[in-house]
């Protein structure tokens, strides 16, 4: 028993090192890509600097479309590791910690379900080296924290239902409460609750619902979840619960997606392990009478996939909660493949062959993105190096297809190299040459100084965070700002802006991604009480 415990702890330590090694490189060197990242960072900065802890503030207004847990985590991370200064590293650290924690919980869950430390380790490793997982775990948004608490809640539920460990009910309700405080009751409570119910029904154990509804632990859930909406009152019910949960699920005209969206979207985001789908399908078909151990992962995957497919609003990250289940199912199928070599040899060969195709396609995609967007001084050398690595992997794979264990090890090594290449090389390089808004934002910050800055058309969240003025308002249309001021807009809006405000002059243009940001200034000489607005001709002097 002691040696088994040591082996288990060693496996967890190795998984922490692997997942942390994938997620941590250049964490603070890559600027905010996802617009929600900068929103949470800005809300956290407002909490620290202005005391907006209960009601998050963004761009001068309350932001209650999401509960405040992620804001609190980013703020606490910044206080603990950077003296209260919010930056990319401190903002993303909670997501990285949640990602590493999810890998560990997946290992423990797979260990209980598959009863094999090797397969449990493989399941956690698959999760850690899956594209969407390590991509989202490096974003300062709610998805990875939500995934951690949902996975922990399902693990606690499984421990209670299958092992009779009553103490895990407290862990389950605590996890559900924190998941709710991260993204709301729709995915923090209702989604895991549906998985619980379908699993108990599938197992013929609906009678356990009564013992699952443990009043003291349920009170713990309510004590954590209720204070925030009670403080907000009707606004919470209307803005958050109704508009951002019910309406977005049932009907979202601004974000129409077909019901089959995830059928197309899931495979590339489960790269490279989606290549083992033929093995998974064949193993399930050959072992239909022995699927009892796999009931929870199958239910977990199916319920999550169906629920979000029915939703009118879909994003790739929304089905992230099913990724641990997909990893456990894939590890189980690989275990069956090694156990039933003769029966599953054709599926093994096909899966390993597809793995080669997936790796080549993914690598070529990265090379293509570099050649298209990154003006490196040696783009040809970059592409050539990538192709050499691809061909080396292809030759190695084709030489090992007959030896499934060696093929699996090579697949794992390739997946690890790909994930490390993405986080340590691709992201920071691509950010530096194409995606980073920081250079133009910091230049605007220096030029504007203490003068007012307005936007015309729209403003991005990373502009607000990096420029650091706290609030960038839309340029007023009814009352002209007094004194000198700056305006930022997109080049396509420039003609329209200058027709309305002909006294503005262009200060600088900033090429950014596939558009151009323009900074303009009003010198302030014409700003006087002798100005009236003319809706057709713009601003002019009045005749007094």
């Amino acid at each position: 028993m002691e040696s088994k415990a040591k082996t288990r702890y060693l496996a967890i330590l190795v998984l922490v090192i692997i997942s942390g090694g994938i997620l941590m490189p250049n964490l603070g060197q890559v600027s905010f890509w996802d617009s929600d990242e900068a929103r949470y960072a800005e809300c956290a900065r407002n909490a620290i600097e202005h005391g907006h802890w209960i009601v998050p503030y963004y761009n001068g207004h309350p932001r209650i479309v999401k509960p405040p847990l992620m804001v609190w985590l980013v703020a606490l991370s910044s206080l603990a590791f950077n003296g209260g200064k919010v930056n990319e590293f401190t903002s993303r650290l909670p997501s990285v910690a949640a990602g590493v924690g999810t890998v560990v919980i997946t290992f423990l869950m797979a260990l209980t379900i598959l009863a094999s430390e090797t397969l449990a380790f493989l399941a956690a490793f698959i999760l850690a080296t899956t594209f969407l997982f390590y991509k989202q775990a490096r974003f300062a948004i709610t998805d990875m924290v939500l995934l951690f608490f949902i996975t922990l809640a399902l693990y606690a539920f499984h421990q209670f239902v299958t092992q009779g460990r009553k103490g895990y009910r407290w862990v389950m309700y605590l996890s559900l409460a924190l998941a709710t405080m991260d993204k709301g009751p729709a995915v923090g409570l209702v989604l895991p609750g549906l998985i619980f119910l379908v699993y108990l029904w599938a197992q013929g154990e609906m009678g356990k619902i009564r013992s699952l509804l443990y009043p003291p632990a349920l009170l713990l859930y309510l004590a954590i979840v209720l204070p925030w909406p009670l403080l907000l009152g009707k606004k919470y019910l209307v803005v958050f619960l109704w508009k951002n949960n019910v309406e977005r699920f049932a009907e979202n005209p601004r974000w129409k997606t077909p019901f089959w969206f995830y059928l197309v979207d899931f495979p590339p985001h489960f790269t490279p392990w989606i290549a083992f789908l033929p093995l998974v399908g064949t193993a399930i078909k050959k072992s239909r009478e022995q699927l009892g151990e796999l009931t929870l992962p199958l239910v977990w995957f199916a319920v999550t996939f169906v629920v979000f497919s029915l939703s009118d609003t879909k994003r790739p990250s929304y089905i992230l909660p099913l990724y641990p289940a997909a990893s456990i199912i894939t590890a189980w199928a690989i275990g069956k493949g090694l156990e039933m070599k003769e029966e599953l040899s054709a599926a093994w060969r096909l899966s390993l062959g597809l793995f080669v195709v997936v790796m080549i396609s993914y690598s070529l995609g990265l090379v293509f993105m570099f050649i298209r967007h990154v003006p490196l001084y040696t783009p040809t050398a970059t592409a050539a190096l990538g192709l050499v690595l691809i061909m080396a992997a292809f030759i190695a794979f084709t030489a090992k297809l007959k030896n499934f264990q060696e093929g699996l090890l090579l697949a794992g090594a390739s997946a690890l190299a790909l994930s490390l290449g993405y986080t340590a090389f691709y992201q920071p390089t691509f950010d530096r040459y194409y995606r980073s808004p920081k250079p133009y934002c910091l230049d605007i910050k220096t030029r504007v100084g203490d003068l007012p800055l307005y936007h015309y058309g729209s403003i991005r969240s990373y502009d607000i965070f990096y420029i650091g003025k706290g609030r960038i308002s839309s340029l007023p249309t009814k009352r002209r700002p007094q004194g000198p001021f700056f305006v930022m807009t997109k080049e396509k809006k420039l003609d329209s802006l200058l027709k309305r405000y002909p006294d503005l002059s262009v200060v600088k243009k900033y090429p950014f991604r596939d558009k151009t940001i323009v900074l303009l200034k009003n010198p302030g000489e014409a700003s006087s009480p002798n100005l009236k607005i003319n809706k057709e001709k713009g601003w002019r002097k009045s005749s007094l």
Side-chain angles (χ1 to χ4, degrees), residues 273-299:
W273 300 99
I274 191 64
F276 284 88
L277 183 60
L279 182 62
V280 171
T282 308
I284 290 176
K285 183 178 179 182
K286 296 280 186 181
S287 309
R288 278 178 293 185
E289 297 178 359
Q290 304 172 3
L291 291 179
E293 61 185 0
L294 212 60
T295 302
L296 180 58
L298 288 172
V299 168

PDB file of all heavy atoms in Angstrom, residues 273-299:
ATOM      1  N   TRP A 273      -5.319  14.327 -30.162  1.00  0.00           N
ATOM      2  CA  TRP A 273      -5.837  13.027 -29.708  1.00  0.00           C
ATOM      3  C   TRP A 273      -7.137  12.624 -30.377  1.00  0.00           C
ATOM      4  O   TRP A 273      -7.586  11.486 -30.218  1.00  0.00           O
ATOM      5  CB  TRP A 273      -5.982  13.040 -28.189  1.00  0.00           C
ATOM      6  CG  TRP A 273      -4.664  13.295 -27.522  1.00  0.00           C
ATOM      7  CD1 TRP A 273      -4.202  14.476 -27.026  1.00  0.00           C
ATOM      8  CD2 TRP A 273      -3.594  12.355 -27.352  1.00  0.00           C
ATOM      9  NE1 TRP A 273      -2.921  14.334 -26.535  1.00  0.00           N
ATOM     10  CE2 TRP A 273      -2.524  13.039 -26.723  1.00  0.00           C
ATOM     11  CE3 TRP A 273      -3.435  11.008 -27.663  1.00  0.00           C
ATOM     12  CZ2 TRP A 273      -1.319  12.417 -26.402  1.00  0.00           C
ATOM     13  CZ3 TRP A 273      -2.243  10.385 -27.339  1.00  0.00           C
ATOM     14  CH2 TRP A 273      -1.207  11.096 -26.718  1.00  0.00           C
ATOM     15  N   ILE A 274      -7.750  13.531 -31.156  1.00  0.00           N
ATOM     16  CA  ILE A 274      -8.929  13.163 -31.919  1.00  0.00           C
ATOM     17  C   ILE A 274      -8.594  12.068 -32.929  1.00  0.00           C
ATOM     18  O   ILE A 274      -9.477  11.337 -33.396  1.00  0.00           O
ATOM     19  CB  ILE A 274      -9.512  14.402 -32.636  1.00  0.00           C
ATOM     20  CG1 ILE A 274     -10.898  14.109 -33.211  1.00  0.00           C
ATOM     21  CG2 ILE A 274      -8.562  14.900 -33.711  1.00  0.00           C
ATOM     22  CD1 ILE A 274     -11.944  13.801 -32.193  1.00  0.00           C
ATOM     23  N   ALA A 275      -7.311  11.924 -33.246  1.00  0.00           N
ATOM     24  CA  ALA A 275      -6.879  10.894 -34.190  1.00  0.00           C
ATOM     25  C   ALA A 275      -7.220   9.487 -33.698  1.00  0.00           C
ATOM     26  O   ALA A 275      -7.329   8.548 -34.503  1.00  0.00           O
ATOM     27  CB  ALA A 275      -5.373  10.999 -34.430  1.00  0.00           C
ATOM     28  N   PHE A 276      -7.400   9.341 -32.379  1.00  0.00           N
ATOM     29  CA  PHE A 276      -7.706   8.012 -31.826  1.00  0.00           C
ATOM     30  C   PHE A 276      -9.206   7.704 -31.822  1.00  0.00           C
ATOM     31  O   PHE A 276      -9.629   6.722 -31.215  1.00  0.00           O
ATOM     32  CB  PHE A 276      -7.133   7.888 -30.419  1.00  0.00           C
ATOM     33  CG  PHE A 276      -5.647   7.682 -30.399  1.00  0.00           C
ATOM     34  CD1 PHE A 276      -4.779   8.761 -30.393  1.00  0.00           C
ATOM     35  CD2 PHE A 276      -5.115   6.403 -30.426  1.00  0.00           C
ATOM     36  CE1 PHE A 276      -3.405   8.581 -30.400  1.00  0.00           C
ATOM     37  CE2 PHE A 276      -3.742   6.202 -30.442  1.00  0.00           C
ATOM     38  CZ  PHE A 276      -2.888   7.292 -30.429  1.00  0.00           C
ATOM     39  N   LEU A 277      -9.996   8.539 -32.501  1.00  0.00           N
ATOM     40  CA  LEU A 277     -11.431   8.297 -32.577  1.00  0.00           C
ATOM     41  C   LEU A 277     -11.775   6.924 -33.164  1.00  0.00           C
ATOM     42  O   LEU A 277     -12.673   6.242 -32.647  1.00  0.00           O
ATOM     43  CB  LEU A 277     -12.105   9.409 -33.390  1.00  0.00           C
ATOM     44  CG  LEU A 277     -13.631   9.332 -33.500  1.00  0.00           C
ATOM     45  CD1 LEU A 277     -14.280   9.403 -32.128  1.00  0.00           C
ATOM     46  CD2 LEU A 277     -14.151  10.459 -34.403  1.00  0.00           C
ATOM     47  N   PRO A 278     -11.106   6.460 -34.244  1.00  0.00           N
ATOM     48  CA  PRO A 278     -11.409   5.099 -34.733  1.00  0.00           C
ATOM     49  C   PRO A 278     -11.185   4.026 -33.673  1.00  0.00           C
ATOM     50  O   PRO A 278     -11.973   3.072 -33.564  1.00  0.00           O
ATOM     51  CB  PRO A 278     -10.436   4.923 -35.911  1.00  0.00           C
ATOM     52  CG  PRO A 278     -10.141   6.304 -36.367  1.00  0.00           C
ATOM     53  CD  PRO A 278     -10.132   7.144 -35.126  1.00  0.00           C
ATOM     54  N   LEU A 279     -10.130   4.173 -32.871  1.00  0.00           N
ATOM     55  CA  LEU A 279      -9.868   3.207 -31.809  1.00  0.00           C
ATOM     56  C   LEU A 279     -10.934   3.289 -30.728  1.00  0.00           C
ATOM     57  O   LEU A 279     -11.395   2.259 -30.220  1.00  0.00           O
ATOM     58  CB  LEU A 279      -8.484   3.456 -31.213  1.00  0.00           C
ATOM     59  CG  LEU A 279      -8.044   2.481 -30.105  1.00  0.00           C
ATOM     60  CD1 LEU A 279      -7.968   1.052 -30.638  1.00  0.00           C
ATOM     61  CD2 LEU A 279      -6.703   2.910 -29.534  1.00  0.00           C
ATOM     62  N   VAL A 280     -11.360   4.508 -30.388  1.00  0.00           N
ATOM     63  CA  VAL A 280     -12.412   4.683 -29.377  1.00  0.00           C
ATOM     64  C   VAL A 280     -13.701   4.019 -29.844  1.00  0.00           C
ATOM     65  O   VAL A 280     -14.334   3.250 -29.104  1.00  0.00           O
ATOM     66  CB  VAL A 280     -12.655   6.180 -29.094  1.00  0.00           C
ATOM     67  CG1 VAL A 280     -13.888   6.374 -28.211  1.00  0.00           C
ATOM     68  CG2 VAL A 280     -11.438   6.812 -28.427  1.00  0.00           C
ATOM     69  N   GLY A 281     -14.104   4.309 -31.074  1.00  0.00           N
ATOM     70  CA  GLY A 281     -15.345   3.736 -31.593  1.00  0.00           C
ATOM     71  C   GLY A 281     -15.308   2.225 -31.659  1.00  0.00           C
ATOM     72  O   GLY A 281     -16.269   1.545 -31.256  1.00  0.00           O
ATOM     73  N   THR A 282     -14.205   1.665 -32.132  1.00  0.00           N
ATOM     74  CA  THR A 282     -14.086   0.207 -32.245  1.00  0.00           C
ATOM     75  C   THR A 282     -14.028  -0.448 -30.870  1.00  0.00           C
ATOM     76  O   THR A 282     -14.635  -1.509 -30.650  1.00  0.00           O
ATOM     77  CB  THR A 282     -12.825  -0.158 -33.053  1.00  0.00           C
ATOM     78  OG1 THR A 282     -12.820   0.543 -34.294  1.00  0.00           O
ATOM     79  CG2 THR A 282     -12.777  -1.651 -33.327  1.00  0.00           C
ATOM     80  N   ALA A 283     -13.309   0.164 -29.932  1.00  0.00           N
ATOM     81  CA  ALA A 283     -13.204  -0.398 -28.577  1.00  0.00           C
ATOM     82  C   ALA A 283     -14.561  -0.413 -27.894  1.00  0.00           C
ATOM     83  O   ALA A 283     -14.915  -1.386 -27.210  1.00  0.00           O
ATOM     84  CB  ALA A 283     -12.196   0.402 -27.764  1.00  0.00           C
ATOM     85  N   ILE A 284     -15.342   0.653 -28.054  1.00  0.00           N
ATOM     86  CA  ILE A 284     -16.685   0.693 -27.464  1.00  0.00           C
ATOM     87  C   ILE A 284     -17.575  -0.380 -28.094  1.00  0.00           C
ATOM     88  O   ILE A 284     -18.331  -1.078 -27.405  1.00  0.00           O
ATOM     89  CB  ILE A 284     -17.305   2.101 -27.637  1.00  0.00           C
ATOM     90  CG1 ILE A 284     -16.574   3.099 -26.730  1.00  0.00           C
ATOM     91  CG2 ILE A 284     -18.793   2.082 -27.316  1.00  0.00           C
ATOM     92  CD1 ILE A 284     -17.033   4.536 -26.901  1.00  0.00           C
ATOM     93  N   LYS A 285     -17.470  -0.539 -29.408  1.00  0.00           N
ATOM     94  CA  LYS A 285     -18.276  -1.546 -30.093  1.00  0.00           C
ATOM     95  C   LYS A 285     -17.912  -2.957 -29.646  1.00  0.00           C
ATOM     96  O   LYS A 285     -18.780  -3.806 -29.434  1.00  0.00           O
ATOM     97  CB  LYS A 285     -18.070  -1.406 -31.604  1.00  0.00           C
ATOM     98  CG  LYS A 285     -18.922  -2.352 -32.431  1.00  0.00           C
ATOM     99  CD  LYS A 285     -18.690  -2.113 -33.920  1.00  0.00           C
ATOM    100  CE  LYS A 285     -19.523  -3.079 -34.764  1.00  0.00           C
ATOM    101  NZ  LYS A 285     -19.278  -2.883 -36.218  1.00  0.00           N
ATOM    102  N   LYS A 286     -16.616  -3.229 -29.480  1.00  0.00           N
ATOM    103  CA  LYS A 286     -16.158  -4.565 -29.100  1.00  0.00           C
ATOM    104  C   LYS A 286     -16.388  -4.853 -27.618  1.00  0.00           C
ATOM    105  O   LYS A 286     -16.392  -6.019 -27.208  1.00  0.00           O
ATOM    106  CB  LYS A 286     -14.661  -4.711 -29.401  1.00  0.00           C
ATOM    107  CG  LYS A 286     -14.294  -4.624 -30.876  1.00  0.00           C
ATOM    108  CD  LYS A 286     -14.546  -5.916 -31.603  1.00  0.00           C
ATOM    109  CE  LYS A 286     -14.033  -5.851 -33.034  1.00  0.00           C
ATOM    110  NZ  LYS A 286     -14.287  -7.115 -33.783  1.00  0.00           N
ATOM    111  N   SER A 287     -16.560  -3.794 -26.803  1.00  0.00           N
ATOM    112  CA  SER A 287     -16.663  -4.001 -25.349  1.00  0.00           C
ATOM    113  C   SER A 287     -17.986  -3.490 -24.800  1.00  0.00           C
ATOM    114  O   SER A 287     -18.057  -2.989 -23.674  1.00  0.00           O
ATOM    115  CB  SER A 287     -15.501  -3.292 -24.640  1.00  0.00           C
ATOM    116  OG  SER A 287     -14.262  -3.628 -25.189  1.00  0.00           O
ATOM    117  N   ARG A 288     -19.051  -3.609 -25.592  1.00  0.00           N
ATOM    118  CA  ARG A 288     -20.342  -3.062 -25.172  1.00  0.00           C
ATOM    119  C   ARG A 288     -20.836  -3.634 -23.849  1.00  0.00           C
ATOM    120  O   ARG A 288     -21.502  -2.955 -23.077  1.00  0.00           O
ATOM    121  CB  ARG A 288     -21.398  -3.310 -26.262  1.00  0.00           C
ATOM    122  CG  ARG A 288     -21.347  -2.293 -27.385  1.00  0.00           C
ATOM    123  CD  ARG A 288     -22.351  -2.593 -28.465  1.00  0.00           C
ATOM    124  NE  ARG A 288     -22.035  -3.825 -29.167  1.00  0.00           N
ATOM    125  CZ  ARG A 288     -22.694  -4.290 -30.214  1.00  0.00           C
ATOM    126  NH1 ARG A 288     -23.727  -3.613 -30.682  1.00  0.00           N
ATOM    127  NH2 ARG A 288     -22.337  -5.410 -30.812  1.00  0.00           N
ATOM    128  N   GLU A 289     -20.495  -4.868 -23.577  1.00  0.00           N
ATOM    129  CA  GLU A 289     -20.968  -5.491 -22.338  1.00  0.00           C
ATOM    130  C   GLU A 289     -20.088  -5.131 -21.144  1.00  0.00           C
ATOM    131  O   GLU A 289     -20.392  -5.495 -20.016  1.00  0.00           O
ATOM    132  CB  GLU A 289     -21.012  -7.018 -22.516  1.00  0.00           C
ATOM    133  CG  GLU A 289     -21.994  -7.466 -23.592  1.00  0.00           C
ATOM    134  CD  GLU A 289     -21.986  -8.978 -23.769  1.00  0.00           C
ATOM    135  OE1 GLU A 289     -21.196  -9.641 -23.066  1.00  0.00           O
ATOM    136  OE2 GLU A 289     -22.765  -9.476 -24.595  1.00  0.00           O
ATOM    137  N   GLN A 290     -19.001  -4.430 -21.370  1.00  0.00           N
ATOM    138  CA  GLN A 290     -18.082  -4.087 -20.272  1.00  0.00           C
ATOM    139  C   GLN A 290     -17.932  -2.581 -20.118  1.00  0.00           C
ATOM    140  O   GLN A 290     -16.903  -2.085 -19.673  1.00  0.00           O
ATOM    141  CB  GLN A 290     -16.705  -4.709 -20.554  1.00  0.00           C
ATOM    142  CG  GLN A 290     -16.746  -6.213 -20.767  1.00  0.00           C
ATOM    143  CD  GLN A 290     -15.397  -6.763 -21.229  1.00  0.00           C
ATOM    144  OE1 GLN A 290     -14.426  -6.035 -21.341  1.00  0.00           O
ATOM    145  NE2 GLN A 290     -15.354  -8.053 -21.499  1.00  0.00           N
ATOM    146  N   LEU A 291     -18.974  -1.832 -20.476  1.00  0.00           N
ATOM    147  CA  LEU A 291     -18.894  -0.379 -20.439  1.00  0.00           C
ATOM    148  C   LEU A 291     -19.349   0.220 -19.115  1.00  0.00           C
ATOM    149  O   LEU A 291     -19.410   1.443 -18.983  1.00  0.00           O
ATOM    150  CB  LEU A 291     -19.722   0.232 -21.580  1.00  0.00           C
ATOM    151  CG  LEU A 291     -19.184   0.021 -22.999  1.00  0.00           C
ATOM    152  CD1 LEU A 291     -20.120   0.651 -24.019  1.00  0.00           C
ATOM    153  CD2 LEU A 291     -17.787   0.599 -23.139  1.00  0.00           C
ATOM    154  N   GLY A 292     -19.661  -0.621 -18.134  1.00  0.00           N
ATOM    155  CA  GLY A 292     -20.134  -0.119 -16.850  1.00  0.00           C
ATOM    156  C   GLY A 292     -19.169   0.847 -16.207  1.00  0.00           C
ATOM    157  O   GLY A 292     -19.565   1.884 -15.661  1.00  0.00           O
ATOM    158  N   GLU A 293     -17.884   0.541 -16.290  1.00  0.00           N
ATOM    159  CA  GLU A 293     -16.867   1.402 -15.685  1.00  0.00           C
ATOM    160  C   GLU A 293     -16.770   2.753 -16.369  1.00  0.00           C
ATOM    161  O   GLU A 293     -16.283   3.735 -15.795  1.00  0.00           O
ATOM    162  CB  GLU A 293     -15.503   0.712 -15.760  1.00  0.00           C
ATOM    163  CG  GLU A 293     -15.045   0.424 -17.197  1.00  0.00           C
ATOM    164  CD  GLU A 293     -13.752  -0.362 -17.278  1.00  0.00           C
ATOM    165  OE1 GLU A 293     -13.201  -0.690 -16.223  1.00  0.00           O
ATOM    166  OE2 GLU A 293     -13.306  -0.645 -18.406  1.00  0.00           O
ATOM    167  N   LEU A 294     -17.245   2.812 -17.616  1.00  0.00           N
ATOM    168  CA  LEU A 294     -17.116   4.041 -18.401  1.00  0.00           C
ATOM    169  C   LEU A 294     -18.406   4.870 -18.411  1.00  0.00           C
ATOM    170  O   LEU A 294     -18.489   5.863 -19.126  1.00  0.00           O
ATOM    171  CB  LEU A 294     -16.743   3.664 -19.841  1.00  0.00           C
ATOM    172  CG  LEU A 294     -15.849   4.648 -20.617  1.00  0.00           C
ATOM    173  CD1 LEU A 294     -14.522   4.838 -19.912  1.00  0.00           C
ATOM    174  CD2 LEU A 294     -15.630   4.149 -22.035  1.00  0.00           C
ATOM    175  N   THR A 295     -19.388   4.479 -17.598  1.00  0.00           N
ATOM    176  CA  THR A 295     -20.686   5.151 -17.639  1.00  0.00           C
ATOM    177  C   THR A 295     -20.587   6.636 -17.343  1.00  0.00           C
ATOM    178  O   THR A 295     -21.134   7.469 -18.076  1.00  0.00           O
ATOM    179  CB  THR A 295     -21.663   4.498 -16.644  1.00  0.00           C
ATOM    180  OG1 THR A 295     -21.798   3.111 -16.950  1.00  0.00           O
ATOM    181  CG2 THR A 295     -23.037   5.155 -16.735  1.00  0.00           C
ATOM    182  N   LEU A 296     -19.890   7.010 -16.266  1.00  0.00           N
ATOM    183  CA  LEU A 296     -19.827   8.424 -15.907  1.00  0.00           C
ATOM    184  C   LEU A 296     -19.144   9.263 -16.984  1.00  0.00           C
ATOM    185  O   LEU A 296     -19.697  10.296 -17.397  1.00  0.00           O
ATOM    186  CB  LEU A 296     -19.137   8.618 -14.553  1.00  0.00           C
ATOM    187  CG  LEU A 296     -19.039  10.086 -14.093  1.00  0.00           C
ATOM    188  CD1 LEU A 296     -20.423  10.719 -14.003  1.00  0.00           C
ATOM    189  CD2 LEU A 296     -18.320  10.192 -12.761  1.00  0.00           C
ATOM    190  N   PRO A 297     -17.962   8.891 -17.494  1.00  0.00           N
ATOM    191  CA  PRO A 297     -17.371   9.706 -18.571  1.00  0.00           C
ATOM    192  C   PRO A 297     -18.260   9.807 -19.815  1.00  0.00           C
ATOM    193  O   PRO A 297     -18.335  10.873 -20.432  1.00  0.00           O
ATOM    194  CB  PRO A 297     -16.062   8.978 -18.891  1.00  0.00           C
ATOM    195  CG  PRO A 297     -15.731   8.224 -17.665  1.00  0.00           C
ATOM    196  CD  PRO A 297     -17.038   7.827 -17.072  1.00  0.00           C
ATOM    197  N   LEU A 298     -18.938   8.709 -20.172  1.00  0.00           N
ATOM    198  CA  LEU A 298     -19.811   8.747 -21.352  1.00  0.00           C
ATOM    199  C   LEU A 298     -20.998   9.675 -21.128  1.00  0.00           C
ATOM    200  O   LEU A 298     -21.362  10.476 -22.003  1.00  0.00           O
ATOM    201  CB  LEU A 298     -20.304   7.336 -21.684  1.00  0.00           C
ATOM    202  CG  LEU A 298     -19.253   6.379 -22.274  1.00  0.00           C
ATOM    203  CD1 LEU A 298     -19.809   4.962 -22.377  1.00  0.00           C
ATOM    204  CD2 LEU A 298     -18.777   6.863 -23.644  1.00  0.00           C
ATOM    205  N   VAL A 299     -21.615   9.589 -19.951  1.00  0.00           N
ATOM    206  CA  VAL A 299     -22.736  10.478 -19.621  1.00  0.00           C
ATOM    207  C   VAL A 299     -22.259  11.926 -19.548  1.00  0.00           C
ATOM    208  O   VAL A 299     -22.905  12.840 -20.075  1.00  0.00           O
ATOM    209  CB  VAL A 299     -23.381  10.045 -18.285  1.00  0.00           C
ATOM    210  CG1 VAL A 299     -24.338  11.123 -17.780  1.00  0.00           C
ATOM    211  CG2 VAL A 299     -24.115   8.725 -18.447  1.00  0.00           C
TER     212      VAL A 299
END
